[in-house]
Amino acid sequence: MTVHRSDRPLLEIQDLRTHFFTQDGTVKAVDGVSYEIGDGKTVGVVGESGCGKSITALSVMRLIEQPGRIVGGSVLLRGRDLLRVDDAEMRDIRGNQISMIFQEPMTSLNPVYTCGDQISEAVSLHEAVGRRQAWERAVEMLQLVGIPDPARRAKQYPHELSGGMRQRVMIAMALSTNPELLIADEPTTALDVTIQAQILELMKSLRERNRMAIMLITHDLGVIAEMADDVVVMYAGQVVEQSDADTVFAKPHHPYTTGLLASIPRLGEKRQRLEVIQGVVPNPLNLPKGCLFKRRCPHAMPVCDTPPPLQEIARGHLSRCWLTPAGEPPAVGPEATGELAEAAASALQAPA
Amino acid sequence: MEGTQLGQIPAKATTGAGQGAVDEVDLTPVRTYWQLARQRFMQHSLAVVGLIVMAILVTLALVVPTITGSLYAKTSLSLANHPPSLLNPFAPLGYDSIGMNVFIRLVKALQTSLFVGFSAVSIIVVVGITVGAIAGYVGGAVDNLLMRLVDVVLSLPSFFLIVMMVALFGTGNAIVVIVAIGIVGWTTAARLVRAEFLSLRETDFVQAARALGAGDRRIIVRHMLPAAMAPVVVAATLGIADSVVVEATLSFLSFGISPPEASLGNMLTNAQEFFYRQPILILYPGLTLILVVLAASFMGDGLRDALDPRQRVRK
Amino acid sequence: MSGQTWADGAAIEPIEASASLVRANGGAGRVLLRAEHVVKHFPIRGGLLGVTTIGAVRAVDDVSFEVRRGETLGLVGESGCGKTTLGKVILRLIPATSGQVYVDDRPLFDLNATQLKEARRDLQVVFQDPYASLNPRMTVGEIVGEGPLVHGLTDKAKREELVRELLAKVGLNQSHIHRYPHEFSGGQRQRIGIARALALNPEFIVCDEPVSALDVSIQSQVLNLLDDLQQELGLTYLFIAHNLAVVEHISDRVGVMYLGKLVELADVDPLYAAPKHPYTVALLSAVPEPDPRRRKKRLVLKGDVPSPAAPPEGCRFNTRCWLREQLGNPERCETEEPVFRDVGAGHLVACHFSEEVTPQAIASAAERQLPVIGA
């Protein structure tokens, strides 16, 4: 299969906004999210439940259900805006160019069909092949994802397999059409740690073999560190920090990222007390004015009543915080120079 | 230790323990489970109509016969076949072929039907909950035995069984009718309660109560029954409609309540006999029966929506 | 226990600091709870009437251990290893098939109903799912006050005062006392669950995955709370979790379970620094570290955990063991069940060849691994 490659990144999400219009009010689940995924790159999207990381992925797949709606932005796959193609084209893209795997494989596999049936159906939907060929491809895929005795397993039903095996079947199904982008939404969260290790190793090997890009959505910073080239940190529907993995883990800038990294217990580092991020995630129906993190932020200052912009604080390192690149409070006054300081100064003068 | 003042956080308590957790006071009003349920019920307009109709019917059935006493059985041949007239507030529906006041008789019949309906459902609920709770809570062999009993009762043709019991133990007696409907009808409630209990038995909040030392009675009454009640309440409301219909059918076939006692069923039989002379007489008990059944069904639907915690409150 | 009963009208001092200090210092290191050969089999029923036993899920199979006063014993293992069942069995929330648990030398499984109720004051539990563990139809006050109520604190005002004190202790706003669980976030609900467990002033709390359902930033809040409460009240914890880093953080000693058996039990530092059982080695190696500079060559176990209804003969880990493979598949692993033995300084391990578990062996096993994808 020849794939058209160009200078543009594989996927560009630009100012995406997905809102949910509930009876209690509008929930801005995704509110102006932009990031891109290059060919063959793995982007880790991390954040707590409700931060909008999964809704972003579902928006890319155009799988948002009522009462949700994509209200703005664009999703460019090789320059083509997925939010503006018709439904038939989108169905073709889903599965062919983009595939998705979910946290709980049991709910995404049909219990009344065998694993082989389901994979060969996926194959024949996207390729003009006969039944027997499709079945052979299914068995091949099962072997590829490391399922022992694949010919026998293909004839089994999802409930006859363990959780790890089911996730392998899901991956086999997602990869059967050779997608350029795999969206993996918490792919290992429901699995035990030794099985998680198997699946992560499997995803790494397949990524290299197929030269496939991955959007890896998870709350587990360990999985992100293990897999991702780039990291996007989300909080309350916004991107708060974005950079390559080494930078985010070694030199985090946003206080939320810093707090998250400090609060997780790590193997071999027995500390007396864990650092804590104060408080709880804000109610999406009642977000604070200004910076969404300010109520929990140890550095909160007057300027935080104005929403901080997502700024480049170093090459390729974006952060949505008023702190200077060195992590100091912004100097405000005549002697202050630089774009950030000016923005901060004007923000402080203007009534919020 | 000196007693902590009410409303004052002990100094020691916040040393780290509550680090970052004492949050802003949430000022939204507290809504209990039942308040939320009522809110959901009120949004179900048919259910509200059903409730209002049922309330009117029950009020009528309680008030009118108390005032009119035994007039419902009084015949007066001089008034026979007197037509309905709104001008006569004492007999707006006229008199039947043997001179009985149709309105007074109709309300008395309604009283009988509702009495049979509510009483039979009470038996169904009490027996059903008891059997279901024991089976679900004790489990094992007891559960097995009780559920096989349910299977046996369910496998018998229920209406035939009721007719047989009424025929054996006293035709025309309301109590016999009630007991017969109750004996046959408790199985659904028992199954519902048992299913709820089986799943509740393993839930964490029941285990937690057990760990606190709560006894079986407290666990059943305080933790399991309230959670298991929702489907029973729904089934019971719908059961009222069923029981009223069964009673009417029995009386219509002359197994149930027989004249001079009034019931919607025997009024239908009576009206049928004189159908050619006064066809309208069949309408009154017929419509009343439909009203009772519809009101109970709508209420049941509304309760199902109201008591299902997965339903969210709409503004 | 302090020996007071609320029914006497004695002062309410369930969280009395001085008593706890005595408890923490005077009794430190002594055995509080001892589990001996605890077995829990869940029968698999079959046959026409569903009453014939055709097999058993061996959820917990002959497990013995001690919990010392004031310590935290961590219990790790993957789903289905029996750790949660074990936690419930030793609290007698579900009946054991055989074995005995001694609490202060009282045989818990032999107590009658009255004695058991009394014993429960000392033995409490905090559950994993903060949504399923609180009765949705009860207020926070009723939930937290239930324990004191069933143990005789019938005075409503006193009970409310106690509940307010407990809410403050776990970092909740006291004005929440009349609210219902559905109005709280996961972390707050878990605090309510902890307050309920503390209400009877217990000595021992089984924490069954208390943070695994919570968001990352909330986990650390709850872990710190558990830490603080332990120090302040001299509590003893059995901390059950699958997250190895969390268990390392909170525990003094750690037990590792596999298929219903304890396979290793030791002080936390030696267990994490130099594990002696091949399963523990693999478990630790599988944990992804939140640091991209420390990506490691991991030791990935093959296959799935076998069914606890039909565990392998001999050593239960033999079907997945990397060490056995490295040693040329000795027959002993399949025929003889390894003894849970002390390999020095109280480090217990159930492996015939634990002496062979060396850093070199682990490294070479990681190197020799086959590619994970087929064809």
Side-chain angles (χ1 to χ4, degrees):
Chain A
M1 191 165 87
T2 54
V3 181
H4 168 72
R5 307 264 178 197
S6 73
D7 294 340
R8 302 193 70 143
L10 173 64
L11 186 82
E12 296 163 84
I13 301 173
Q14 292 172 347
D15 199 29
L16 182 70
R17 286 164 202 275
T18 304
H19 296 180
F20 284 76
F21 301 92
T22 69
Q23 273 98 14
D24 300 326
T26 303
V27 174
K28 296 176 176 173
V30 176
D31 201 23
V33 165
S34 306
Y35 58 86
E36 47 192 57
I37 301 177
D39 275 297
K41 289 282 181 196
T42 298
V43 172
V45 186
V46 67
E48 297 175 275
S49 45
C51 73
K53 54 190 195 300
S54 293
I55 301 295
T56 307
L58 290 172
S59 304
V60 169
M61 293 292 271
R62 289 222 338 234
L63 292 172
I64 296 294
E65 309 241 350
Q66 285 295 335
R69 209 168 66 229
I70 301 169
V71 296
S74 53
V75 176
L76 306 179
L77 181 72
R78 298 228 173 278
R80 182 159 64 143
D81 192 347
L82 299 184
L83 303 185
R84 279 164 191 81
V85 302
D86 65 36
D87 286 352
E89 265 181 282
M90 193 60 217
R91 272 198 297 277
D92 196 48
I93 289 166
R94 262 183 238 139
N96 257 339
Q97 284 175 281
I98 311 178
S99 286
M100 189 160 180
I101 56 176
F102 299 91
Q103 171 174 349
E104 185 29 80
M106 197 58 199
T107 53
S108 8
L109 289 171
N110 189 330
V112 301
Y113 291 103
T114 64
C115 301
D117 283 338
Q118 298 188 52
I119 301 172
S120 44
E121 192 201 351
V123 170
S124 53
L125 268 179
H126 294 283
E127 270 175 75
V129 291
R131 266 185 67 113
R132 269 198 55 180
Q133 268 177 295
W135 183 267
E136 278 163 18
R137 272 290 294 282
V139 174
E140 232 172 77
M141 290 309 300
L142 288 176
Q143 178 167 18
L144 177 72
V145 297
I147 291 182
D149 200 358
R152 187 174 65 86
R153 292 289 184 180
K155 292 184 197 136
Q156 288 189 317
Y157 291 89
H159 71 263
E160 298 178 80
L161 305 178
S162 67
M165 282 294 167
R166 274 185 225 131
Q167 197 57 284
R168 282 171 195 264
V169 171
M170 274 299 297
I171 292 175
M173 206 152 101
L175 298 190
S176 59
T177 56
N178 232 339
E180 294 171 73
L181 173 65
L182 176 71
I183 299 179
D185 189 356
E186 305 270 8
T188 59
T189 303
L191 304 176
D192 276 317
V193 63
T194 62
I195 309 298
Q196 166 172 286
Q198 291 173 356
I199 298 292
L200 292 182
E201 294 299 322
L202 172 69
M203 285 175 66
K204 279 191 215 164
S205 309
L206 291 171
R207 171 175 72 183
E208 270 157 46
R209 178 184 178 276
N210 293 16
R211 294 191 37 71
M212 167 180 71
I214 300 178
M215 182 196 292
L216 176 66
I217 298 161
T218 176
H219 69 279
D220 187 331
L221 289 159
V223 171
I224 294 274
E226 181 82 27
M227 298 282 296
D229 301 304
D230 297 314
V231 178
V232 173
V233 184
M234 287 187 68
Y235 185 78
Q238 295 182 329
V239 173
V240 295
E241 184 155 9
Q242 186 180 343
S243 188
D244 60 277
D246 284 350
T247 308
V248 168
F249 282 92
K251 282 183 285 182
H253 180 264
H254 197 282
Y256 177 62
T257 318
T258 317
L260 269 190
L261 284 169
S263 67
I264 44 172
R266 297 165 189 239
L267 282 186
E269 284 179 27
K270 197 170 161 73
R271 283 165 300 173
Q272 211 49 47
R273 284 188 74 76
L274 293 167
E275 297 293 323
V276 159
I277 299 180
Q278 313 272 313
V280 294
V281 178
N283 179 349
L285 289 166
N286 183 21
L287 292 174
K289 295 256 185 302
C291 174
L292 300 179
F293 188 62
K294 70 177 181 194
R295 285 192 201 147
R296 305 177 72 186
C297 183
H299 304 286
M301 42 199 170
V303 69
C304 298
D305 290 336
T306 306
L310 188 64
Q311 303 238 14
E312 188 159 46
I313 51 154
R315 208 180 142 73
H317 187 178
L318 305 178
S319 172
R320 193 184 289 279
C321 182
W322 287 115
L323 292 177
T324 65
E328 308 284 330
V332 186
E335 71 281 8
T337 51
E339 211 179 311
L340 190 69
E342 276 167 34
S346 65
L348 272 177
Q349 276 153 18
Chain B
M1 186 171 102
E2 280 152 59
T4 314
Q5 292 289 303
L6 285 186
Q8 174 201 326
I9 300 170
K12 201 170 177 197
T14 46
T15 53
Q19 196 186 53
V22 177
D23 44 2
E24 310 109 79
V25 182
D26 188 353
L27 292 172
T28 53
V30 182
R31 286 182 295 187
T32 68
Y33 174 79
W34 293 110
Q35 283 169 331
L36 288 168
R38 198 178 58 203
Q39 221 169 329
R40 287 189 292 254
F41 185 84
M42 288 305 177
Q43 281 154 4
H44 200 294
S45 41
L46 274 181
V48 176
V49 171
L51 180 68
I52 292 170
V53 169
M54 186 59 91
I56 293 172
L57 293 176
V58 170
T59 315
L60 273 177
L62 288 176
V63 173
V64 176
T66 331
I67 298 168
T68 56
S70 62
L71 281 179
Y72 68 91
K74 186 169 179 257
T75 57
S76 161
L77 284 177
S78 60
L79 289 169
N81 296 326
H82 209 82
S85 157
L86 288 175
L87 294 176
N88 183 354
F90 186 65
L93 304 180
Y95 292 84
D96 69 3
S97 54
I98 52 168
M100 293 206 265
N101 185 322
V102 176
F103 177 71
I104 292 175
R105 200 160 169 77
L106 184 68
V107 177
K108 181 68 186 176
L110 177 67
Q111 187 190 43
T112 313
S113 290
L114 289 178
F115 172 67
V116 170
F118 281 100
S119 312
V121 161
S122 308
I123 294 184
I124 287 173
V125 168
V126 171
V127 176
I129 286 181
T130 313
V131 173
I134 292 173
Y137 193 80
V138 180
V142 176
D143 176 33
N144 228 316
L145 190 77
L146 289 173
M147 284 305 110
R148 295 301 80 77
L149 180 66
V150 166
D151 290 343
V152 168
V153 174
L154 273 175
S155 67
L156 300 169
S158 56
F159 190 73
F160 172 74
L161 202 66
I162 294 172
V163 170
M164 209 180 67
M165 276 191 276
V166 173
L168 275 176
F169 298 109
T171 314
N173 187 338
I175 302 298
V176 176
V177 173
I178 290 167
V179 173
I181 296 175
I183 286 180
V184 172
W186 56 270
T187 50
T188 313
R191 284 190 156 183
L192 287 171
V193 173
R194 172 188 175 261
E196 293 287 324
F197 265 49
L198 278 181
S199 60
L200 284 167
R201 202 168 55 166
E202 306 300 324
T203 55
D204 286 349
F205 71 81
V206 169
Q207 297 270 352
R210 193 163 288 141
L212 290 173
D216 290 342
R217 216 184 61 145
R218 186 178 170 83
I219 288 174
I220 291 174
V221 173
R222 198 77 177 83
H223 294 278
M224 295 172 82
L225 265 186
M229 278 315 281
V232 176
V233 169
V234 175
T237 314
L238 298 172
I240 291 174
D242 288 345
S243 309
V244 169
V245 170
V246 168
E247 181 276 325
T249 315
L250 281 175
S251 303
F252 183 79
L253 298 173
S254 313
F255 284 107
I257 289 128
S258 43
E261 291 304 311
S263 112
L264 293 175
N266 69 33
M267 281 185 79
L268 278 169
T269 321
N270 199 36
Q272 186 205 21
E273 276 174 43
F274 299 95
F275 184 70
Y276 293 105
R277 202 179 301 165
Q278 253 190 300
I280 199 163
L281 283 185
I282 212 158
L283 210 60
Y284 306 133
L287 278 180
T288 310
L289 190 59
I290 290 172
L291 267 186
V292 172
V293 172
L294 281 184
S297 301
F298 289 160
M299 280 168 62
D301 284 349
L303 283 171
R304 179 174 296 153
D305 288 357
L307 299 177
D308 186 345
R310 280 159 295 193
Q311 292 266 339
R312 289 200 58 244
V313 178
R314 279 168 280 170
K315 279 236 169 105
Chain C
M1 292 296 300
S2 47
Q4 292 166 334
T5 55
W6 293 306
D8 299 338
I12 311 155
E13 297 178 35
I15 2 186
E16 194 185 354
S18 56
S20 312
L21 283 175
V22 172
R23 189 192 277 176
N25 298 331
R30 288 197 1 246
V31 172
L32 171 67
L33 180 141
R34 196 166 78 247
E36 282 185 2
H37 304 290
V38 171
V39 175
K40 177 64 193 178
H41 290 180
F42 292 102
I44 305 170
R45 302 218 186 266
L48 212 53
L49 287 171
V51 287
T52 326
T53 305
I54 56 171
V57 173
R58 296 155 79 170
V60 177
D61 215 0
D62 193 4
V63 168
S64 305
F65 62 92
E66 292 174 349
V67 188
R68 296 169 201 153
R69 215 172 279 274
E71 77 166 352
T72 299
L73 176 65
L75 203 54
V76 289
E78 299 180 277
S79 50
C81 72
K83 56 190 193 298
T84 291
T85 305
L86 179 61
K88 287 182 176 167
V89 167
I90 62 164
L91 290 180
R92 215 175 137 180
L93 292 178
I94 47 179
T97 305
S98 63
Q100 185 59 269
V101 166
Y102 295 93
V103 180
D104 281 333
D105 296 323
R106 279 174 305 170
L108 186 69
F109 295 168
D110 293 341
L111 301 184
N112 66 27
T114 322
Q115 293 166 321
L116 180 64
K117 183 175 170 183
E118 208 42 51
R120 290 217 183 283
R121 294 175 69 154
D122 283 348
L123 311 169
Q124 283 302 306
V125 57
V126 173
F127 290 101
Q128 167 176 13
D129 183 349
Y131 290 86
S133 62
L134 306 177
N135 188 337
R137 287 169 182 78
M138 288 165 74
T139 63
V140 170
E142 288 170 325
I143 290 169
V144 177
E146 179 165 28
L149 176 66
V150 297
H151 285 277
L153 180 64
T154 46
D155 183 318
K156 210 172 166 197
K158 281 185 186 166
R159 209 165 60 232
E160 188 165 319
E161 189 187 331
L162 169 65
V163 171
R164 283 178 187 275
E165 206 176 305
L166 287 160
L167 290 183
K169 186 143 292 254
V170 298
L172 283 173
N173 198 306
Q174 302 186 348
S175 67
H176 289 337
I177 187 164
H178 297 302
R179 291 187 170 270
Y180 287 82
H182 68 86
E183 301 176 76
F184 294 88
S185 68
Q188 289 172 318
R189 285 166 151 257
Q190 204 55 297
R191 289 172 192 268
I192 298 169
I194 293 170
R196 169 177 60 193
L198 291 179
L200 291 173
N201 193 17
E203 290 198 71
F204 176 67
I205 300 181
V206 171
C207 303
D208 185 4
E209 300 267 15
V211 299
S212 62
L214 305 177
D215 266 323
V216 182
S217 75
I218 307 300
Q219 286 192 4
S220 52
Q221 293 176 359
V222 172
L223 287 174
N224 279 353
L225 172 65
L226 289 171
D227 242 347
D228 293 338
L229 292 170
Q230 180 167 45
Q231 304 223 334
E232 192 179 329
L233 307 173
L235 296 169
T236 305
Y237 292 143
L238 178 67
F239 193 96
I240 300 169
H242 68 274
N243 185 325
L244 287 133
V246 166
V247 168
E248 183 186 20
H249 172 80
I250 200 145
S251 305
D252 300 305
R253 289 189 308 137
V254 175
V256 181
M257 280 187 81
Y258 185 79
L259 269 182
K261 292 261 183 205
L262 263 179
V263 294
E264 188 161 4
L265 178 67
D267 285 344
V268 60
D269 292 333
L271 187 114
Y272 277 74
K276 300 276 189 226
H277 196 283
Y279 177 63
T280 315
V281 171
L283 211 51
L284 284 167
S285 168
V287 178
E289 288 205 44
D291 187 348
R293 289 161 304 179
R294 283 166 63 181
R295 285 182 191 172
K296 55 192 175 186
K297 185 81 187 166
R298 60 171 86 253
L299 189 67
V300 179
L301 286 181
K302 295 174 305 179
D304 288 314
V305 182
S307 160
E313 295 285 308
C315 170
R316 293 194 174 185
F317 186 56
N318 80 55
T319 54
R320 300 175 81 197
C321 185
W322 55 272
L323 181 66
R324 171 169 171 261
E325 202 171 77
Q326 203 166 36
L327 296 174
N329 296 324
E331 201 184 328
R332 202 174 160 203
C333 298
E334 280 177 87
T335 53
E336 190 185 326
E337 194 175 318
V339 181
F340 199 41
R341 63 202 166 98
D342 193 335
V343 293
H347 195 135
L348 297 167
V349 60
C351 174
H352 296 306
F353 300 102
S354 63
E355 286 75 16
E356 309 287 339
V357 180
T358 58
Q360 295 80 1
I362 298 168
S364 79
E367 285 306 320
R368 283 190 310 111
Q369 282 180 107
L370 298 170
V372 286
I373 56 174

